[in-house]
Amino acid sequence: MRTPLIAGNWKMNNTEVEALSLVRKLIQGIKSLTTVEVLICPPFTSLSQLSKLLVSSPIQLGAQNISDHDAGAYTGEISPRMAAEFCSYVILGHSERRAYYGESDALINRKTKVAQRADLTPILCVGEQLDERERGQAAVVITRQLQGALQGVKLSDPSGLVIAYEPVWAIGSGLSASAGETADFIGGVIRPVVSGLWGQEISQKIRVLYGGSVSPENAGGFFTHDEIDGALVGGASLSADSFLGIIEKAS
Ligand code: PEP
């Protein structure tokens, strides 16, 4: 019912030359994509060249961040419309932006709204810290993050938003969450919050990804669960073999 999405978050890695080389390998490895949607989110500096390379490829481009303003005097920022020249998606609320750049739910809420206005589909990241999980607070934290980031956001088409559940302690740590627990959490916490915002039908059709140390070795375990609609992949998206291995597991 929901097409799986495999999204690679390159973070602050790869110069333009390195990006072109990696994407050439991905293009060679991906023969035809019928059952899985594939997205890469490189740094802004490579988007223009990569968009030319990918012109007849099913691999899509996404941004890792955007400004919360439409345009204007915001030195150093990239507007949603600038990103939308090359990208169909934008990652918002990533835990690294929350932790290192102080992004609040209110800021992520503004970015979600400007992204929608520019026809960019937000991939909204939510996730609990290890101590929050250990104190049994994961559901409360994720509910607060979702309601804060999505307050006043209109959604009539479930393909207009993707949610990525990324426990913070699992990101880049080599420790992934258990696939079964993740599926239960998505079905028991995340979809009910979405249902409260936009109704049951949207909550069943919206895609919810898992992110946190996904690798070709553990990916298959996540994708056997109906509740998990793909993955947001960090480290393993920097190697063509690993990323292609994950895509293969999803198809
Ligand atoms: C991420 O940064 O969103 C992520 C999931 O990273 P990694 O796969 O490296 O844990």
Side-chain angles (χ1 to χ4, degrees):
M1 182 172 104
R2 300 180 294 255
T3 305
L5 172 64
I6 304 298
N9 173 14
W10 289 8
K11 312 191 186 193
M12 198 175 69
N13 291 293
N14 289 330
T15 62
E16 189 178 83
V17 170
E18 290 160 351
L20 289 166
S21 158
L22 173 52
V23 170
R24 280 194 193 100
K25 290 183 200 154
L26 293 178
I27 292 171
Q28 268 174 7
I30 291 178
K31 302 284 176 283
S32 64
L33 281 177
T34 47
T35 54
V36 184
E37 205 181 323
V38 174
L39 171 73
I40 52 171
C41 303
F44 289 119
T45 49
S46 300
L47 286 174
S48 174
Q49 286 302 318
L50 288 181
S51 71
K52 289 175 196 148
L53 187 59
L54 289 170
V55 80
S56 53
S57 159
I59 301 173
Q60 299 178 74
L61 287 171
Q64 297 176 22
N65 184 30
I66 47 167
S67 168
D68 58 326
H69 297 278
D70 291 305
Y74 300 100
T75 302
E77 292 289 278
I78 299 286
S79 80
R81 275 184 61 230
M82 291 169 188
E85 276 191 291
F86 308 109
C87 300
S88 37
Y89 290 87
V90 57
I91 298 171
L92 295 178
H94 192 278
S95 65
E96 286 151 16
R97 296 220 53 94
R98 293 177 192 260
Y100 306 146
Y101 303 98
E103 291 204 3
S104 63
D105 290 327
L107 177 67
I108 297 161
N109 179 247
R110 292 201 297 280
K111 291 189 178 193
T112 303
K113 289 173 180 168
V114 295
Q116 284 188 323
R117 280 206 289 277
D119 278 336
L120 283 169
T121 301
I123 300 177
L124 172 63
C125 302
V126 292
E128 81 284 356
Q129 308 275 346
L130 186 57
D131 64 317
E132 293 167 333
R133 185 184 184 93
E134 286 172 350
R135 280 187 275 115
Q137 294 294 298
V140 174
V141 170
I142 302 305
T143 301
R144 189 179 62 225
Q145 289 178 349
L146 286 169
Q147 289 177 339
L150 297 172
Q151 192 181 15
V153 171
K154 295 191 175 58
L155 194 71
S156 49
D157 177 351
S159 67
L161 179 78
V162 175
I163 295 170
Y165 171 53
E166 298 205 304
V168 178
W169 49 271
I171 295 180
S173 63
L175 300 170
S176 58
S178 117
E181 272 177 38
T182 300
D184 290 347
F185 193 81
I186 291 172
V189 177
I190 295 181
R191 290 197 195 279
V193 174
V194 173
S195 177
L197 289 166
W198 301 303
Q200 175 72 5
E201 191 181 339
I202 294 224
S203 80
Q204 290 310 307
K205 289 189 174 165
I206 203 164
R207 287 182 294 184
V208 185
L209 315 182
Y210 166 74
S213 298
V214 174
S215 65
E217 291 73 36
N218 65 20
F222 288 99
F223 304 150
T224 54
H225 292 271
D226 286 346
E227 284 293 2
I228 304 174
D229 302 316
L232 181 53
V233 183
S237 70
L238 296 172
S239 140
D241 286 345
S242 300
F243 196 53
L244 290 167
I246 293 168
I247 293 164
E248 202 178 298
K249 291 281 163 57
S251 54

